[in-house]
Amino acid sequence: MGLAYIFLLNHSCAQKLNATSLLEKSLVAHGGKKAWNMVSEISYLKNIKLYDSIGKLEKEINQKIKHTWNPSSTKMEWVNIDDHYVALLQEEKIELFKNNQIVLDSHELAQAYDYTKGALYVFWQPYKLIDSNARLDYIGLVTLLDSVSVHNLKISYPLDPTADVWHYYFNEENFMLEATKVNHDGRISLIINESVENKTGLLLNKTRKSYFVDSLGKIKYLRATYKYIITSFN
């Protein structure tokens, strides 16, 4: 079988895909909709390490996170220096406590809202892409980091002018989620999914690395590493 034929076959398969069918195939690869819909709650520890442009550790953050459904809520706990914080997001309403005292500062509340909202969005993928407010555009097959061929799914949120535009990259053959890219505040981040867990049947992220990249997708430097340890799942 010639290389030209293989290229045409792969190109033909990619052409048959659209945004909806690609997402559906990825959901099947990650356990299927039924498995995702049966989850009532999940708790996990999240470790974040931030690095500067020369590779020096800038900051380490440890978070304890719990997501529940019906009703929907996210609880996040972390320590900043000597202060213990708890953020609770319930039905789009945020509460923040610092050393058991309620925080009323609007800036801190907005930041806590973004933290808790973002935690579910990045962890609960690809299922969170099922969203009536999201626009899904299948870009086609692209080469990631000059070496890996992946399906590129562009996600935007037209009703929210402040929302970031994301690109999700799925394995060409098995449709597993391999990486994401986002342009946030003028900086482009490429987040590589290095390993997945085997506790939930959903193949959620276990370790990830986030790189700042240039406009051509070339790596500038490692910005962050992420590790997730699931502590309970129902």
Side-chain angles (χ1 to χ4, degrees):
M1 185 180 294
L3 291 176
Y5 177 81
I6 294 173
F7 171 79
L8 290 172
L9 181 61
N10 288 339
H11 181 72
S12 175
C13 291
Q15 288 293 95
K16 293 178 183 178
L17 281 174
N18 57 39
T20 301
S21 61
L22 175 58
L23 179 55
E24 288 176 350
K25 287 178 180 294
S26 183
L27 285 170
V28 171
H30 285 266
K33 287 184 182 179
K34 184 177 180 180
W36 289 84
N37 288 327
M38 288 178 63
V39 180
S40 60
E41 65 177 49
I42 185 168
S43 298
Y44 56 97
L45 305 177
K46 181 178 180 180
N47 173 266
I48 307 166
K49 291 181 179 178
L50 301 175
Y51 298 89
D52 64 17
S53 60
I54 61 172
K56 182 180 178 181
L57 181 64
E58 192 176 89
K59 189 176 184 180
E60 183 171 4
I61 305 166
N62 289 291
Q63 300 170 335
K64 182 179 179 182
I65 302 171
K66 181 178 181 179
H67 304 299
T68 61
W69 288 265
N70 299 318
S72 175
S73 70
T74 293
K75 181 181 181 181
M76 179 185 291
E77 299 181 53
W78 71 98
V79 173
N80 185 7
I81 308 177
D82 294 323
D83 295 317
H84 178 253
Y85 289 86
V86 178
L88 181 61
L89 180 66
Q90 292 180 300
E91 302 297 340
E92 297 300 312
K93 181 181 178 182
I94 188 71
E95 290 183 300
L96 178 64
F97 299 88
K98 177 180 177 181
N99 300 325
N100 295 317
Q101 299 296 313
I102 193 165
V103 176
L104 300 177
D105 180 81
S106 59
H107 175 73
E108 290 187 82
L109 287 171
Q111 194 172 54
Y113 176 86
D114 289 342
Y115 287 161
T116 51
K117 192 80 170 178
L120 180 60
Y121 183 83
V122 298
F123 187 64
W124 210 237
Q125 295 291 0
Y127 191 80
K128 281 293 286 181
L129 299 182
I130 302 176
D131 184 344
S132 60
N133 294 319
R135 173 176 172 174
L136 282 61
D137 294 295
Y138 178 54
I139 305 302
L141 285 172
V142 299
T143 302
L144 197 62
L145 298 177
D146 295 327
S147 60
V148 183
S149 181
V150 289
H151 295 284
N152 182 356
L153 185 63
K154 179 183 177 182
I155 310 293
S156 56
Y157 299 87
L159 297 179
D160 183 356
T162 66
D164 295 320
V165 175
W166 294 76
H167 287 263
Y168 284 77
Y169 301 108
F170 300 90
N171 186 284
E172 181 182 358
E173 296 181 356
N174 63 23
F175 302 101
M176 289 286 293
L177 182 57
E178 297 280 358
T180 58
K181 185 176 73 174
V182 60
N183 188 330
H184 180 69
D185 291 338
R187 282 184 163 176
I188 305 173
S189 295
L190 177 66
I191 306 99
I192 304 294
N193 303 337
E194 288 197 307
S195 64
V196 295
E197 54 77 35
N198 57 13
K199 193 171 185 177
T200 67
L202 305 177
L203 300 175
L204 300 167
N205 288 315
K206 184 177 181 180
T207 59
R208 310 173 83 203
K209 285 185 176 179
S210 178
Y211 300 88
F212 281 149
V213 298
D214 63 22
S215 59
L216 297 177
K218 306 292 185 181
I219 290 177
K220 297 169 70 175
Y221 66 91
L222 174 68
R223 174 54 179 161
T225 62
Y226 303 93
K227 293 183 180 180
Y228 306 83
I229 298 175
I230 295 173
T231 54
S232 67
F233 173 75
N234 294 299

